[in-house]
Amino acid sequence: MSDENRALLAANEAFYRAFAGREADAMASLWARTVPVACIHPGWDVLTDHDAVVASWRRLLANPASPAVRCRDARAYLYGTVGFVVCHEVLPEGVLVATNVFVREDGRWRVVHHQAGPVAVAAPEPAPPASRKLH
Amino acid sequence: MSDENRALLAANEAFYRAFAGREADAMASLWARTVPVACIHPGWDVLTDHDAVVASWRRLLANPASPAVRCRDARAYLYGTVGFVVCHEVLPEGVLVATNVFVREDGRWRVVHHQAGPVAVAAPEPAPPASRKLH
């Protein structure tokens, strides 16, 4: 895996760290500022500009009833200074599948788009290594 | 709107023309060949390589029960040689919201990713111009 691939996956992890930790400022800082962005929350219609997107995340993360989320199975697709990650979002009520699109901006990978939606049957989570089971 | 924006929207239209017309060869030709691709059909888990993606479209379009689809509200987001389009997919059973990611390949916009999922409440379709109502 290339360094850029790793950097893209690290940006995706930062996204889910802010999401799971309800860190609204961190989440806001992850979205691109100098290029257009969009966001499709599960079941919502598309939000088509930066202010609407960041405001939606601030509302979502301010809600103590917002679900605990965990990202797994992240896979990076890289095309120069743009890339996307597909991953599963594990929530108490089920598993979603998500696309997160990133653009290099000021030397960092920043989010320009997020779409998450339900998946009827997600691939099972890999079992822990056998050695762990023996101890 | 820039020429590149128009070209990106035209590629998105070609995607839905192939989809609605069940033109499997046209659909296959729209997907990028030289870079990695992925696809998330509504409710499905993610397909992570070119062969799996193209095979899924061939099965889907070969099915005479596959739904008639119409794209509306397409909006292009352009980042140099990569871009995405968000749009609504109007189906007999409801409206989906979709993300289609494109990359310039051999001088053409080709699809590298598609995700579609349900939207609870899509913005209403614009009413036809008043002049049409009067005739």
Side-chain angles (χ1 to χ4, degrees):
Chain A
M1 190 190 291
S2 74
D3 284 353
E4 272 307 287
N5 248 284
R6 265 187 286 269
L8 186 54
L9 289 173
N12 193 63
E13 280 160 27
F15 177 87
Y16 285 102
R17 208 158 44 237
F19 192 170
R22 296 193 185 115
E23 296 164 17
D25 287 344
M27 176 58 83
S29 76
L30 291 168
W31 285 81
R33 274 145 249 188
T34 61
V35 290
V37 305
C39 184
I40 304 169
H41 295 292
W44 294 33
D45 205 354
V46 57
L47 302 171
T48 58
D49 72 69
H50 184 273
D51 289 354
V53 170
V54 168
S56 77
W57 282 102
R58 289 198 180 276
R59 277 197 308 275
L60 201 73
L61 300 182
N63 183 353
S66 72
V69 63
R70 192 163 56 82
C71 165
R72 67 171 168 89
D73 311 321
R75 200 176 174 115
Y77 291 78
L78 193 59
Y79 311 93
T81 57
V82 184
F84 67 86
V85 175
V86 289
C87 61
H88 291 116
E89 297 183 352
V90 183
L91 303 164
E93 61 271 36
V95 178
L96 302 179
V97 61
T99 299
N100 298 311
V101 186
F102 296 83
V103 165
R104 288 292 279 184
E105 185 188 59
D106 302 330
R108 319 184 69 169
W109 284 108
R110 291 224 173 90
V111 190
V112 289
H113 185 49
H114 165 79
Q115 177 169 6
V119 55
V121 185
E125 192 153 20
S131 62
R132 284 204 208 154
K133 287 186 188 165
L134 295 172
H135 289 96
Chain B
M1 191 190 291
S2 73
D3 284 353
E4 272 308 288
N5 247 285
R6 266 187 286 269
L8 186 54
L9 289 173
N12 193 63
E13 280 161 26
F15 177 87
Y16 285 102
R17 208 157 43 236
F19 191 171
R22 296 194 184 113
E23 297 163 17
D25 288 343
M27 176 58 82
S29 75
L30 291 169
W31 285 80
R33 275 143 247 190
T34 63
V35 290
V37 305
C39 184
I40 303 170
H41 295 292
W44 294 33
D45 205 354
V46 58
L47 303 171
T48 58
D49 72 69
H50 184 272
D51 289 355
V53 170
V54 168
S56 77
W57 282 103
R58 288 197 180 278
R59 278 197 308 276
L60 200 74
L61 301 183
N63 184 351
S66 72
V69 63
R70 192 164 55 85
C71 164
R72 66 170 167 91
D73 312 321
R75 200 175 173 114
Y77 291 78
L78 193 59
Y79 312 93
T81 58
V82 184
F84 66 86
V85 175
V86 289
C87 60
H88 291 116
E89 297 183 352
V90 183
L91 303 164
E93 61 271 36
V95 177
L96 301 178
V97 60
T99 299
N100 299 311
V101 187
F102 296 82
V103 164
R104 288 292 282 184
E105 185 188 59
D106 302 331
R108 318 184 69 165
W109 284 107
R110 290 225 173 89
V111 191
V112 289
H113 185 49
H114 165 79
Q115 176 168 6
V119 56
V121 184
E125 191 154 18
S131 60
R132 284 205 209 154
K133 286 187 188 164
L134 295 173
H135 289 96

